Amino acid sequence: MTCIWFYCVYDSPEDHPRISKPERDYIEESLHGQVHKYETKHHEIPWRNIFTSSVTWVMVFTQVCSTWGLYTLLTSLPTFMFEVLKFDIKSNGLLSSLPYIAAWLSMNLSGTLADYMIESGKLPKIYVRRIWNSIGMFGPGLFLVIAGHIDCSLAWLAITMMVIGNLFYGCIFSGISTSPMEVLPRYAAVMFGIMNTFGTIPGMVSPAITALITATQSAHEWRTVFYINFGILSLGAIVYFFFIKGDVIPWAIVSGDDDDYDKELSEIEMEKKMKSENKHFDSATSLDTLVRF
């Protein structure tokens, strides 16, 4: 995977040898005024602005809540299916993958639909993000709670609820997962790093709490786990809905214009070229003088 990354990824669209001109022009035009084409123009990261911004902590909090739901599914779902729904290990491996296949499908479908909603102008972009994020956080929590109340004799129905829940979870990638690129486009990579750092905390805490609650592996205990999961996901959805921003934060806006920088680079290149030509001319003149002598 790393080798593929090195082969496919480049610093900018203009450096990519396999990108088409229409796609390159589209990317550069869409990023105009948000990021610089030149790395030297934004090498300083405004850490103080990032960590004192309320939007940063809205994104971090939402990410932590969403990953709580993710890690609850990753670490607890196979155990729940085996202990409560009474699936054998062979069946468990196949059925455990179904929710994640559903999430992969909805991830791609929701992204396409979200782009259509934005491009059609039917809703402001910020409301599109809020809607899809709400679906991606309320849905999984709710359907997991429903699955916890289904008797093991109807295990197929419980599995169906889990699949539907994860189908909704994929929608989150049209919500919180897009926010760093839209709010802090120049520092999106930094913001993703901060979000994912905090987002790994539930990966340690959630399994520990689940193990503490489900000491006897009873259905009642698992319902408690699912209610906690639903509450955390709902809280993250509410905070994101009311407090996320849709526009680039003022201090993250590009302060100069790339066109001015292009002009500056052209002048520098022209000056270097003239100096090089003068040097060659002086060398040729000296050689001619020496030959005559």
Side-chain angles (χ1 to χ4, degrees), residues 179-230:
S179 292
M181 293 177 286
E182 294 179 344
V183 179
L184 294 169
R186 295 178 66 189
Y187 311 109
V190 175
M191 192 65 239
F192 270 119
I194 295 171
M195 289 167 58
N196 289 332
T197 299
F198 282 94
T200 58
I201 295 175
M204 298 177 284
V205 178
S206 175
I209 292 179
T210 299
L212 187 64
I213 295 173
T214 60
T216 64
Q217 295 295 332
S218 67
H220 176 74
E221 291 172 340
W222 278 100
R223 288 171 194 151
T224 302
V225 172
F226 295 154
Y227 274 118
I228 293 173
N229 180 63
F230 178 57

Side-chain angles (χ1 to χ4, degrees), residues 8-82:
C8 295
V9 177
Y10 287 80
D11 290 333
S12 65
E14 64 179 355
D15 294 332
H16 204 295
R18 293 177 298 277
I19 192 172
S20 65
K21 188 177 185 305
E23 184 178 3
R24 181 185 295 109
D25 293 342
Y26 172 78
I27 294 173
E28 292 181 349
E29 182 180 353
S30 65
L31 295 178
H32 187 75
Q34 296 183 15
V35 296
H36 283 294
K37 292 187 293 184
Y38 307 98
E39 185 67 22
T40 54
K41 292 288 284 182
H42 58 90
H43 63 280
E44 294 183 1
I45 299 173
W47 294 109
R48 183 174 181 178
N49 288 334
I50 290 174
F51 282 108
T52 57
S53 171
S54 60
V55 178
T56 294
W57 296 108
V58 167
M59 291 189 286
V60 167
F61 182 80
T62 306
Q63 180 76 352
V64 169
C65 292
S66 69
T67 53
W68 181 284
L70 175 63
Y71 285 117
T72 297
L73 286 171
L74 287 174
T75 61
S76 303
L77 186 58
T79 305
F80 173 75
M81 294 172 69
F82 179 72

Side-chain angles (χ1 to χ4, degrees), residues 202-262:
M204 298 177 284
V205 178
S206 175
I209 292 179
T210 299
L212 187 64
I213 295 173
T214 60
T216 64
Q217 295 295 332
S218 67
H220 176 74
E221 291 172 340
W222 278 100
R223 288 171 194 151
T224 302
V225 172
F226 295 154
Y227 274 118
I228 293 173
N229 180 63
F230 178 57
I232 292 174
L233 284 171
S234 299
L235 184 59
I238 292 170
V239 169
Y240 183 90
F241 190 91
F242 287 105
F243 297 106
I244 194 62
K245 304 295 182 183
D247 299 323
V248 180
I249 297 177
W251 51 262
I253 297 175
V254 172
S255 57
D257 195 289
D258 278 333
D259 294 335
D260 295 336
Y261 196 58
D262 285 336

